[in-house]
Amino acid sequence: ELSAGVIPIGQQRWGDWRKMADCPPNTWAVGYSQRVEADQGKKKDDTALNSVKLVCAGVNRSEPTTVISSHEGWFGTWASSPVCGAGQWLKAGRIRIEPRQGGDKDDTAANDVNFQCTDGTELTAGNGAPWGTWNEYQSCPDDTVVCGVEVRVESKQGDKDDTAMNGLRVRCCELVN
């Protein structure tokens, strides 16, 4: 069950939801980064998207930004963090998810995430994996912006098929000037 203000961006079937990570008081999300494992090649186990972090900042952005994470993920490298322009905040997100492959085929689950700023600018981390399809943007309600992140992650599977990140939720909070 979702708590108030939490918007499901999308999910696949494996793993567990980790603890919601919230921006510190009087800060909201202005950007993000994602950890993605590159294509492992034929006959190797791909995990694709492993985690998403949010970059939080205050209204005037003069104080240092804070980076928050629900879970760091297991595999891959972090991309640089695209951020919204001055006075803009993360408002909506979408996720690229590969459906279950069946049999002994390699499942990846989540592959890539994009966010939209309040002015409609689309942010992309640039390191997403190519499998699966994008869902529609899921947006915070009017007068709210993204202020927290929660990921669904499958634990390491040893010599079995790893999928790593399987889902994304965000918390939406009222922007207080």
Side-chain angles (χ1 to χ4, degrees), residues 88-156:
Q88 304 299 317
W89 310 94
L90 295 188
K91 178 73 174 175
R94 69 178 185 157
I95 191 167
R96 182 181 199 149
I97 294 189
E98 183 184 53
R100 183 169 184 266
Q101 297 301 290
D104 60 356
K105 294 190 178 121
D106 184 19
D107 290 300
T108 61
N111 271 252
D112 201 356
V113 169
N114 292 152
F115 282 97
Q116 269 183 342
C117 304
T118 44
D119 64 359
T121 301
E122 184 174 79
L123 300 183
T124 178
N127 67 336
W131 303 291
T133 54
W134 288 101
N135 69 352
E136 297 291 320
Y137 272 101
Q138 306 300 309
S139 185
C140 287
D142 289 349
D143 302 321
T144 66
V145 296
V146 176
C147 62
V149 63
E150 184 179 22
V151 295
R152 182 177 186 166
V153 179
E154 181 185 49
S155 296
K156 289 183 181 177

Side-chain angles (χ1 to χ4, degrees), residues 30-49:
V30 296
Y32 78 107
S33 63
Q34 63 184 22
R35 184 178 189 175
V36 177
E37 182 185 48
D39 187 338
Q40 298 299 292
K42 226 170 177 43
K43 303 285 187 203
K44 297 274 204 279
D45 185 13
D46 291 299
T47 62
L49 183 59

